[in-house]
Amino acid sequence: MRRFNRLVITIVLTCAIIALLIPISVNATRVGDAEITSEAAIVIEFDTGLVIFELNADELRVPASMTKMAAVYVVFDAIRDGLVSMDTVAEITNRTSRLSYSRAFTNVPMPRESSYTIEELLDVVIVRSASAATVALGEAIFGSESVLVAKMNEKAEQLGVIASFSDSWGGSRHNRISARGMAEMTRQLIMEYPEVLKITSKSRVYFDEIPYNSTNPMIGDYEGIDGFKTGFTNPAGWCFSGTAQRGERRIISVTMGSTIGHRFPDSAVLLDYGFANYNRAIADHFKEAIIQSNPKTIADSPLVPIVIYNIETARYLGLRDIAIALNES
C-alpha cells in the first residue's frame, strides 16, 4: 500500500512539474508568416519612428524591469549636465545593501559600506537588471530614489510618452507604460545617448570580480541585436524591448505580456518583420504625407504631377527612403 501511495504521489508531482514547464495556451497573433504570444507589441524604425507593426500598442501595462530604462535615461542626463561622471563613487546605504540581497527580484549583492562607480552600477543595472543598483544610482546622484522616480516621470512627459512610475527598478505593480511609449523612450535614449549601446550589447559584466551574464540571451544569437532591456513580474508577464541594426537600418521592437519561453522568440519574429517590411511601411506613410498637385498642361504635354512632402507630419526621411516610396507607390 505504501508503494502504491508513493507511486501515486510521484505521478502527481511529475504531472505538476510538466504542467509548469509547458507554456500556458494563449491566443496567438499573426505577424506576417509567424505568430507571437504577446498581449501587446510594436515594431518601429529607428530613424523615422514609423510604426511597422502594432498590437494593443497604446494599452498601459506594467513594464517590470523595463522601468529601469527610464532610470538609465535620467542618469545619462545627469552625466551630461555634470552632476556626476562615470567615475563618481557611490556609497551603498544599509537599506540598499539589504535590498541587494533580496532574491525576490534580480540583484547583485552589494555589502554594507561598499562603494562603486556610476559606471559599475550602470553596467549591472543594464546588463544584469540589478534592482538595488538602480536605487543606489538614485541615492548617489539625487540623494534618494524618490527624486530619481520623480525625474523619470518628468522625462517621460518631456518625451511625450504617457507613463507613470512608482519605483526606479520595476518591482511595483503600479508602474505603467504602453508598448508604444516604451519603444519611443528606447528610440530617444539611443538617439540622444548612442553610447548606451556599448553597455546594452555586453553579454557579460564583472561586478566585484564576479561574472554576471546578460538577461538578454539574444545578444550574439540574433543578427545585429545590441540591446535592450528585459522585464518580468507576475503582473507584467514576460517583457522585452529589443533593438537590432543591419547595415544602416535599425529596428526597435517591444513585447509585453508574453508567455514564459516566448518573449525572445516573439521579439525575433517582430524584428524579422520590421526588417522585411520597412520599405512597405515607409511607402505607405509617404503616400499619406504627400500632397499631389493637379496635372497641368503646357504645349499640349501633361506635366508629371508635382510631389510635395508634408514636413509637418514627418520625422527624418532619407533620399533613399523617398525613392523607395515613390517606386512602390
Side-chain angles (χ1 to χ4, degrees):
M1 189 65 173
R2 289 182 179 176
R3 289 181 180 178
F4 178 76
N5 288 339
R6 289 197 198 99
L7 179 61
V8 171
I9 292 171
T10 301
I11 292 173
V12 170
L13 288 174
T14 302
C15 291
I17 292 171
I18 292 174
L20 287 172
L21 293 176
I22 296 176
I24 299 172
S25 178
V26 296
N27 294 327
T29 300
R30 297 291 299 181
V31 181
D33 296 328
E35 293 183 341
I36 60 172
T37 66
S38 310
E39 294 179 4
I42 195 168
V43 181
I44 67 172
E45 198 274 339
F46 174 72
D47 286 326
T48 62
L50 289 180
V51 176
I52 305 171
F53 171 85
E54 61 181 294
L55 169 69
N56 300 325
D58 293 310
E59 183 180 283
L60 293 176
R61 300 183 60 86
V62 180
S65 282
M66 290 196 301
T67 298
K68 293 182 174 76
M69 283 299 95
V72 168
Y73 207 140
V74 170
V75 171
F76 271 96
D77 280 349
I79 294 171
R80 176 202 62 198
D81 296 340
L83 297 180
V84 290
S85 71
M86 285 291 192
D87 295 326
T88 298
V89 175
E91 304 292 336
I92 305 304
T93 64
N94 288 341
R95 171 181 172 275
T96 302
S97 175
R98 286 195 299 271
L99 176 61
S100 76
Y101 285 91
S102 170
R103 296 185 178 181
F105 302 96
T106 309
N107 267 310
V108 298
M110 299 184 294
R112 292 182 181 181
E113 299 182 0
S114 58
S115 60
Y116 305 94
T117 65
I118 298 297
E119 183 176 15
E120 289 173 321
L121 292 173
L122 273 174
D123 271 359
V124 288
V125 166
I126 294 173
V127 178
R128 190 57 183 172
S129 196
S131 299
T134 316
V135 177
L137 285 169
E139 292 174 337
I141 300 171
F142 303 110
S144 71
E145 182 194 12
S146 61
V147 177
L148 171 59
V149 173
K151 296 283 186 183
M152 290 162 59
N153 286 304
E154 290 174 9
K155 173 54 68 175
E157 184 176 359
Q158 176 189 335
L159 297 175
V161 169
I162 298 174
S164 176
F165 301 113
S166 298
D167 69 14
S168 65
W169 47 280
S172 174
R173 64 175 58 241
H174 300 296
N175 293 330
R176 289 290 188 278
I177 194 171
S178 66
R180 190 186 310 279
M182 195 71 241
E184 183 59 22
M185 183 172 286
T186 302
R187 174 176 175 268
Q188 293 290 344
L189 175 55
I190 297 172
M191 190 171 289
E192 193 167 358
Y193 303 109
E195 61 267 30
V196 71
L197 293 171
K198 294 180 180 179
I199 306 177
T200 61
S201 61
K202 293 180 180 180
S203 60
R204 176 181 295 177
V205 293
Y206 286 82
F207 190 78
D208 276 344
E209 300 183 351
I210 300 173
Y212 292 96
N213 291 332
S214 172
T215 57
N216 175 13
M218 293 183 75
I219 298 292
D221 189 55
Y222 182 87
E223 181 187 351
I225 200 161
D226 51 8
F228 210 69
K229 189 67 194 75
T230 57
F232 170 76
T233 59
N234 287 326
W238 300 85
C239 307
F240 180 58
S241 58
T243 184
Q245 181 164 346
R246 295 177 183 174
E248 296 182 357
R249 185 71 64 209
R250 176 175 292 281
I251 300 295
I252 295 171
S253 72
V254 175
T255 174
M256 303 182 78
S258 185
T259 56
I260 184 172
H262 282 79
R263 62 175 161 175
F264 298 119
D266 283 0
S267 297
V269 168
L270 293 168
L271 290 169
D272 284 345
Y273 188 84
F275 283 113
N277 290 277
Y278 172 72
N279 289 347
R280 177 190 55 77
I282 190 67
D284 290 345
H285 176 77
F286 193 79
K287 291 173 190 176
E288 294 177 3
I290 62 176
I291 303 170
Q292 289 188 320
S293 68
N294 294 323
K296 297 180 180 179
T297 300
I298 295 180
D300 296 326
S301 298
L303 283 174
V304 176
I306 299 171
V307 178
I308 303 172
Y309 192 70
N310 185 351
I311 299 298
E312 292 181 358
T313 64
R315 294 186 175 91
Y316 165 78
L317 285 174
L319 291 177
R320 175 178 175 276
D321 298 325
I322 294 174
I324 290 169
L326 290 175
N327 287 334
E328 296 190 4
S329 61

